[in-house]
């Protein structure tokens, strides 16, 4: 079960480190031109950058505290933050009528829930 927890953390960490870095560093107009990122048109460039920074640090919080065995209580908090992010993302996609990305939001929400539960209750 511990290996399963680590796999979940690695997947979430890599996904959100990458997605956050992309949103935080790529120019707003390039993000808006990407067909998979149409939602950025609903937000200001600073908001998109803030979302990227938060996702990046959530990825850090999912991975590194248990890797270095320091401040391990941050991992469940990072998972909780990702859960909130996925709820917000699903809401944005729903409002925009983009139903296919909601499945991805639900998947990452479930993975974050599992990490939250397993690290908070099962593997401290």
């Amino acid at each position: 079960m511990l290996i399963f927890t680590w796999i979940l953390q690695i997947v979430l960490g890599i996904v959100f480190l990458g997605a956050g870095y992309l949103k935080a560093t790529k120019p707003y107009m390039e993000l808006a031109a990407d067909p998979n990122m149409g939602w950025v048109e609903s937000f200001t460039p600073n908001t998109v950058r803030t979302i990227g920074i938060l996702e990046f640090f959530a990825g850090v919080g999912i991975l590194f505290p248990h890797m270095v065995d320091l401040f391990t209580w941050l991992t469940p908090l990072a998972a909780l933050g990702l859960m909130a992010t996925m709820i917000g993302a699903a809401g944005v996609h729903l409002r925009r009528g983009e139903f296919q990305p909601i499945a991805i939001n639900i998947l990452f929400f479930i993975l974050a829930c599992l990490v939250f539960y397993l690290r908070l209750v099962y593997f401290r």
Side-chain angles (χ1 to χ4, degrees):
M1 192 64 136
L2 183 59
I3 293 172
F4 175 70
T5 305
W6 269 111
I7 291 170
L8 291 176
Q9 285 180 247
I10 290 168
V11 167
L12 282 173
I14 289 171
V15 166
F16 284 98
L17 282 169
Y21 179 78
L22 179 78
K23 290 174 191 137
T25 60
K26 198 168 185 181
Y28 178 81
M29 295 310 288
E30 286 183 38
L31 290 173
D34 185 339
N36 295 323
M37 301 283 280
W39 62 268
V40 300
E41 297 167 354
S42 300
F43 296 95
T44 66
N46 286 337
T47 302
V48 173
R49 196 158 321 288
T50 301
I51 291 168
I53 291 167
L54 291 173
E55 286 181 352
F56 181 83
F57 283 115
V60 169
I62 286 283
L63 279 177
F64 293 108
H66 276 87
M67 288 176 84
V68 297
D69 199 29
L70 188 65
F71 301 116
T72 56
W73 53 270
L74 287 173
T75 300
L77 287 179
L80 195 61
L82 288 178
M83 290 162 52
T85 301
M86 290 300 99
I87 290 170
V92 168
H93 290 303
L94 187 64
R95 187 182 70 222
R96 290 177 50 89
E98 303 168 341
F99 301 109
Q100 191 174 15
I102 294 173
I104 303 290
N105 299 140
I106 292 169
L107 172 67
F108 285 127
F109 177 82
I110 291 168
L111 295 180
C113 285
L114 286 169
V115 169
F116 176 77
Y117 174 76
L118 292 170
R119 284 298 182 187
L120 187 67
V121 175
Y122 203 59
F123 297 112
R124 292 180 176 218

